[in-house]
Amino acid sequence: MCLGMGAPCASGVTTDRSIHSSGMYKLEIELKRGHNLAVRDRGGSSDPYVKFKLAGKEVFRSKTIHKNLNPVWDEKTTLILDCLSEPLYVKVFDYDFGLQDDFMGSAYLYLESLEQQRTIPVTLVLKDPQLPDQDLGSLELAVTLTPKHSPLEERRDSTVRVLLITSLTSASQQSLRLSELHRKSQLWRGIVSIALIEGRNLIPMDPNGLSDPYVKFRLGPQKYRSKTVPKTLSPQWREQFDLHLYEETGGVLEITVWDRDTGRRDDFIGRCQLDLSTLAKEQTHHLELPLEESRGFVVLLVTLTASAHVSIADLSVTPLDDPQERAEILKRYSLSNLKDVGIVQVKVMRAEGLMAADVNGKSDPFCVLELNNDRLQTHTVYKNLNPEWNKVFTFNVKDIHSVLEVTVFDEDRDRSADFLGKVAIPLLHIRNGEQKSYVLKNKELTGPTKGVIYLEIDVIYNTVKAALRTVVPAEQKYIEEEPKVSKQLLQQNFNRVKRCIMVLISYGTYINSCFEWESAQRSIISFVLFVVVVWNFELYMLPLGLLLLLVWNYFFSSSSRDTSDTESEHKGFMDKLYAIQDVFISVQNALDEVASHGERIKNTFNWTVPFLSWLAITALCSATVLLYLIPLRYLVLAWGVNKFTKKLRDPYMIDNNELLDFLSRVPSDVQVMQYRELKVDPGQSPNKRRRTNPS
């Protein structure tokens, strides 16, 4: 019993008689609305929802109101309690699909202070414990606290949904009920395949009379953003993506068109909505949707299909463990639907030795499984560094080259979940039926972090369909973080490009060594091979050569497949500073070299230097006549014989490239500007002329 202020609740398991004693209470909560909630999205808004917790357990979660800082929920729930000393903990979050939800504030409702047997309006001022002075808005509630067996309670509708929350009830029963609700809320019943084709007759938003349009899609909590097509009023997107359908009746697809503006907020062009419940399933609909409050159209292809084999179950209910059901699943993957390649079943067993994220030296871990844009989640195991989930997740496989990502988070009361570790497993690397331990990695997947997770994965797919899907565009992530300027990432990417270029240079050096006769045996073999191939060349030899290269690498170059970077990252500050400086100088020089060559080619055709342009005309006329009169095979042979024998004829000759030597004589745009003479104003005196133009 908890009748006095601050009186402790009894603990342990008691009989049903004690549960239905006179100390029971019923708390009816009506979540009305929020006022001036915190901004958490870049668009100046938020997607708020509210969580109610009692004794550390979630007892109710509201629906999500999208793009609203003054949301209206008008939702009700009823709780039965036997203890008033535990306050009701209310938290507000901003929903971000595919990412961690942002914390928007919290407040406590102290039940002992409530007047009983009448409805009381309550305003909860939201606060952030880390930033107590920040204004995060407020929530408006109406609460009614009633003794369980009072006359007022007996007159109320007995069909109200009740959640039994008591410290004397078995925690496992409550956890099972909540996890079942959580499980159902994650599963989708269908897939909406959308092909964004084009836009027509959009309104101009830029001073040049054009726009840089892109499209945003929203279906419930799911978001997708298209690429930007620059400088056009009739953009061609040609993008395809899928969204999940959580309701059998469909849902409303919100479409907004924006103009991209660098350095300032993007301009709104127009919007439209599509009620998916009006579309027939299992067929493709060609739609031209007019933009509201604007002119123009958006052209879409929309297909609604049922989704099979998306499930969350316990280990006792494992679809692929039954041989008969496994055989039936194998029969389903015929060539009828190319998008449905197969299924993957993931058993999330347990984790060991996780990082302690809370001040009590424990964590509240849960797992998030992602396969492209499909996302499922386990329940939370509270206060445990060695949790056991024992859940089975089943996904549809649309691309056998997808990567399964399993991320472990720590549930946090006041903030978004803390990252504990992550693993990424390509589906083609999976061995069916093998329970394996994976060392958790950091967010970038570049190094280990604390903890190990145990998984057992099975993949069933149709090889022909998987091969056909390989040559179509891969599915893109709906939500990706905006790229940020990072010196470390710049240096890493530069080193990657440098390694690729060094490989090409090493191949070029090897080929050039054959021309230089550094090894007589190698040069003779190369010369004979060159003559035979050129003389007997047919087009089929091109794919044959690539085939031979693949076979050679398969048998003789297995040691080079490990591309992991073993370089030490432990460098001093000055070493990192000099390395970044070298990267910037190298990038600067490379950009200058590429731009200069492009400008020199342009200036050759623009007659910037007439002598060089006439020389180019002479060379091109000669090449045209030679190619017209002499077969290409003979010209290539003549070039190769000259190249191989040049070193033999003149051992001290310095090699050169005639084309690059010619282009080096053509000035770039920078040089043209530097060589341009300044015009002298005739009205200037000689003294002024001398001062303004010393040359």
Side-chain angles (χ1 to χ4, degrees):
M1 313 285 184
C2 295
L3 302 177
M5 178 72 71
C9 296
S11 60
V13 178
T14 61
T15 62
D16 291 342
R17 178 180 296 179
S18 63
I19 293 178
H20 297 291
S21 64
S22 60
M24 303 294 289
Y25 295 88
K26 183 164 77 169
L27 178 66
E28 298 181 10
I29 305 171
E30 180 182 359
L31 174 61
K32 292 186 175 181
R33 58 181 61 86
H35 297 284
N36 300 323
L37 300 185
V39 175
R40 289 293 183 263
D41 292 340
R42 288 184 301 169
S45 185
S46 295
D47 305 320
Y49 68 90
V50 184
K51 280 185 180 181
F52 291 86
K53 284 193 172 184
L54 200 60
K57 304 294 183 181
E58 182 179 324
V59 294
F60 178 72
R61 171 174 171 165
S62 74
K63 62 186 178 183
T64 302
I65 306 295
H66 297 286
K67 293 184 179 180
N68 203 324
L69 299 182
N70 297 281
V72 177
W73 283 284
D74 285 335
E75 292 186 70
K76 295 181 180 180
T77 187
T78 302
L79 310 177
I80 292 180
L81 359 139
D82 70 334
C83 177
L84 300 181
S85 64
E86 283 283 352
L88 184 68
Y89 189 38
V90 183
K91 297 191 295 182
V92 184
F93 289 92
D94 167 59
Y95 188 88
D96 286 325
F97 177 73
L99 303 174
Q100 290 305 303
D101 299 343
D102 298 319
F103 177 68
M104 296 178 63
S106 63
Y108 286 94
L109 176 62
Y110 294 94
L111 306 180
E112 291 174 323
S113 62
L114 296 178
E115 183 179 350
Q116 299 183 17
Q117 299 195 21
R118 83 179 186 90
T119 301
I120 302 171
V122 176
T123 300
L124 297 178
V125 179
L126 300 174
K127 293 294 182 183
D128 185 345
Q130 305 295 329
L131 301 169
D133 298 330
Q134 188 176 8
D135 182 13
L136 299 178
S138 61
L139 293 179
E140 184 179 331
L141 311 176
V143 296
T144 306
L145 182 64
T146 311
K148 184 68 174 69
H149 298 292
S150 69
L152 176 64
E153 187 276 329
E154 291 177 356
R155 288 195 298 268
R156 294 189 181 273
D157 185 6
S158 60
T159 62
V160 175
R161 182 170 60 91
V162 175
L163 290 175
L164 180 58
I165 305 298
T166 173
S167 58
L168 304 179
T169 309
S170 172
S172 62
Q173 294 179 357
Q174 175 192 349
S175 175
L176 180 62
R177 187 182 298 110
L178 293 175
S179 64
E180 186 66 27
L181 292 173
H182 178 67
R183 178 184 311 177
K184 291 181 179 179
S185 68
Q186 296 185 72
L187 302 181
W188 52 93
R189 305 186 182 185
I191 294 176
V192 186
S193 297
I194 301 173
L196 173 60
I197 306 301
E198 61 185 2
R200 296 177 184 169
N201 196 29
L202 302 181
I203 60 174
M205 304 300 294
D206 294 338
N208 59 4
L210 299 173
S211 295
D212 304 316
Y214 66 90
V215 185
K216 288 182 179 180
F217 294 84
R218 178 193 287 270
L219 180 61
Q222 304 168 86
K223 304 173 186 176
Y224 178 80
R225 172 174 168 167
S226 74
K227 64 184 179 184
T228 301
V229 181
K231 297 180 181 179
T232 181
L233 299 180
S234 299
Q236 299 288 322
W237 285 291
R238 301 291 197 257
E239 294 184 49
Q240 195 279 329
F241 59 95
D242 295 337
L243 297 176
H244 296 149
L245 202 60
Y246 289 90
E247 304 174 12
E248 289 183 347
T249 56
V252 177
L253 179 66
E254 300 178 9
I255 305 168
T256 55
V257 185
W258 301 79
D259 167 57
R260 175 71 172 172
D261 286 325
T262 305
R264 59 191 179 93
R265 189 171 180 180
D266 297 345
D267 297 321
F268 176 76
I269 295 179
R271 68 187 296 272
C272 56
Q273 292 185 334
L274 175 62
D275 187 356
L276 299 178
S277 63
T278 61
L279 302 180
K281 296 183 178 180
E282 307 300 336
Q283 69 181 66
T284 300
H285 304 270
H286 182 276
L287 305 173
E288 296 185 10
L289 304 178
L291 298 179
E292 301 171 4
E293 304 174 1
S294 177
R295 75 165 193 241
F297 295 83
V298 175
V299 181
L300 306 175
L301 298 178
V302 181
T303 308
L304 275 63
T305 56
S307 177
H309 293 297
V310 181
S311 64
I312 306 174
D314 296 319
L315 285 180
S316 58
V317 186
T318 307
L320 294 183
D321 285 355
D322 184 358
Q324 184 176 357
E325 188 168 355
R326 189 184 185 102
E328 292 178 358
I329 291 174
L330 283 170
K331 293 179 182 178
R332 284 197 192 110
Y333 295 102
S334 62
L335 293 177
S336 58
N337 183 7
L338 293 180
K339 283 189 174 183
D340 201 6
V341 173
I343 66 168
V344 56
Q345 175 184 276
V346 186
K347 295 181 182 178
V348 183
M349 307 296 212
R350 66 188 188 278
E352 294 178 355
L354 296 179
M355 186 188 309
D358 298 336
V359 293
N360 59 5
K362 299 290 185 179
S363 292
D364 304 321
F366 65 93
C367 274
V368 174
L369 291 83
E370 294 179 86
L371 188 67
N372 292 331
N373 290 298
D374 297 345
R375 188 174 187 266
L376 295 175
Q377 178 180 321
T378 68
H379 61 282
T380 301
V381 179
Y382 292 95
K383 298 181 180 180
N384 203 320
L385 299 181
N386 302 289
E388 292 189 9
W389 292 286
N390 293 324
K391 294 294 180 184
V392 182
F393 299 85
T394 308
F395 293 92
N396 289 321
V397 175
K398 293 177 280 187
D399 188 350
I400 195 58
H401 307 283
S402 301
V403 177
L404 175 69
E405 296 183 358
V406 182
T407 310
V408 184
F409 292 99
D410 166 67
E411 183 180 306
D412 202 318
R413 277 191 170 192
D414 301 323
R415 294 192 169 274
S416 58
D418 297 323
F419 176 85
L420 297 180
K422 181 178 183 179
V423 293
I425 309 165
L427 296 185
L428 287 174
H429 291 185
I430 291 171
R431 295 183 179 179
N432 287 350
E434 178 184 10
Q435 185 179 140
K436 191 174 179 181
S437 61
Y438 295 88
V439 177
L440 295 175
K441 297 182 179 181
N442 56 22
K443 288 184 179 180
E444 295 77 21
L445 298 171
T446 56
T449 187
K450 194 174 182 182
V452 177
I453 188 168
Y454 291 84
L455 306 173
E456 182 179 327
I457 310 174
D458 283 85
V459 181
I460 292 178
Y461 66 97
N462 185 297
T463 306
V464 176
K465 292 164 69 174
L468 294 175
R469 286 284 297 170
T470 303
V471 294
V472 299
E475 183 178 3
Q476 300 297 319
K477 279 278 189 180
Y478 295 161
I479 298 178
E480 294 185 352
E481 295 183 4
E482 291 289 333
K484 299 178 181 178
V485 177
S486 170
K487 294 180 180 179
Q488 182 179 0
L489 186 60
L490 174 64
Q491 182 181 359
Q492 178 183 344
N493 292 338
F494 176 79
N495 290 335
R496 291 166 58 197
V497 174
K498 186 177 178 181
R499 284 194 293 269
C500 295
I501 293 175
M502 293 305 296
V503 169
L504 297 177
I505 291 176
S506 65
Y507 287 153
T509 303
Y510 181 84
I511 294 173
N512 191 62
S513 68
C514 298
F515 298 139
E516 297 292 331
W517 291 83
E518 294 179 3
S519 169
Q521 180 182 1
R522 187 171 64 209
S523 296
I524 292 173
I525 294 174
S526 301
F527 178 68
V528 172
L529 186 62
F530 170 79
V531 172
V532 170
V533 170
V534 172
W535 185 259
N536 300 283
F537 179 77
E538 299 292 343
L539 283 178
Y540 73 85
M541 293 182 179
L542 290 176
L544 177 61
L546 297 176
L547 175 64
L548 294 176
L549 180 61
L550 285 170
V551 172
W552 174 272
N553 287 334
Y554 178 80
F555 287 105
F556 300 103
S557 301
S558 59
S559 60
S560 64
R561 294 174 193 167
D562 185 10
T563 58
S564 59
D565 191 2
T566 58
E567 295 180 6
S568 175
E569 297 294 333
H570 302 287
K571 297 180 180 180
F573 174 76
M574 293 305 296
D575 292 336
K576 293 181 179 178
L577 186 63
Y578 289 138
I580 292 295
Q581 184 177 355
D582 291 341
V583 168
F584 277 110
I585 292 174
S586 300
V587 171
Q588 175 181 294
N589 294 337
L591 292 176
D592 176 67
E593 193 75 16
V594 172
S596 295
H597 278 89
E599 292 168 354
R600 284 171 176 148
I601 295 172
K602 179 197 70 174
N603 290 336
T604 300
F605 289 92
N606 284 349
W607 291 80
T608 302
V609 181
F611 178 83
L612 293 173
S613 297
W614 280 115
L615 188 59
I617 286 178
T618 304
L620 291 174
C621 288
S622 302
T624 303
V625 172
L626 288 175
L627 289 172
Y628 180 77
L629 297 177
I630 305 174
L632 179 62
R633 189 193 314 270
Y634 297 145
L635 294 176
V636 174
L637 274 175
W639 172 86
V641 171
N642 175 67
K643 195 75 174 174
F644 273 102
T645 60
K646 188 182 292 186
K647 196 69 175 179
L648 297 177
R649 290 184 278 112
D650 186 359
Y652 304 105
M653 184 194 64
I654 299 175
D655 200 10
N656 69 307
N657 187 303
E658 291 79 5
L659 179 59
L660 293 180
D661 292 339
F662 170 81
L663 287 177
S664 67
R665 268 65 172 189
V666 182
S668 64
D669 286 354
V670 175
Q671 292 172 326
V672 168
M673 185 178 62
Q674 292 172 345
Y675 302 158
R676 184 177 299 159
E677 294 183 6
L678 295 177
K679 293 183 179 180
V680 179
D681 187 356
Q684 284 185 329
S685 64
N687 291 334
K688 286 185 178 180
R689 225 176 268 173
R690 191 175 298 112
R691 285 195 299 268
T692 57
N693 191 4
S695 60

